[in-house]
Amino acid sequence: MPIAPDRLDKFTFQGEFHPITDPEEIAAIHKKIGFVPPSDEEWAWVSAQWKKRWRNEPGLSTDKLQEEYARKKALGQL
């Protein structure tokens, strides 16, 4: 059964979109939504840990690793 065009439109984007590349605009969006990008050091640690542990720890996520990084950083273990 085909989907009626009026129902199909709500699942597709209308108009033209372009990526946002202005650093100030990106920072304003991050502030508005409460996103804090990880530091280069944090990103490197999370990435290395994920690569090392992904096979042995099912359900491992970068969110959990970021929490672990923050905890270890606060305790001075990193």
Side-chain angles (χ1 to χ4, degrees), residues 41-62:
E41 179 185 344
E42 179 181 0
W43 183 250
W45 186 88
V46 168
S47 178
Q49 290 297 312
W50 191 87
K51 288 175 186 174
K52 189 186 324 181
R53 296 161 34 175
W54 72 274
R55 284 191 187 181
N56 299 325
E57 295 183 36
L60 181 66
S61 73
T62 54

Side-chain angles (χ1 to χ4, degrees), residues 65-77:
L65 289 172
Q66 284 181 299
E67 290 171 7
E68 183 179 340
Y69 175 86
R71 184 177 48 77
K72 286 185 174 196
K73 187 79 170 180
L75 294 172
Q77 297 176 348

Side-chain angles (χ1 to χ4, degrees), residues 1 11-12 16 21 23 27 34-35 48 51 58-60 64 67 69-70:
M1 175 187 233
F11 298 109
T12 58
E16 293 184 28
T21 56
F35 174 72
K51 288 175 186 174
L60 181 66
K64 289 179 184 177
E67 290 171 7
Y69 175 86

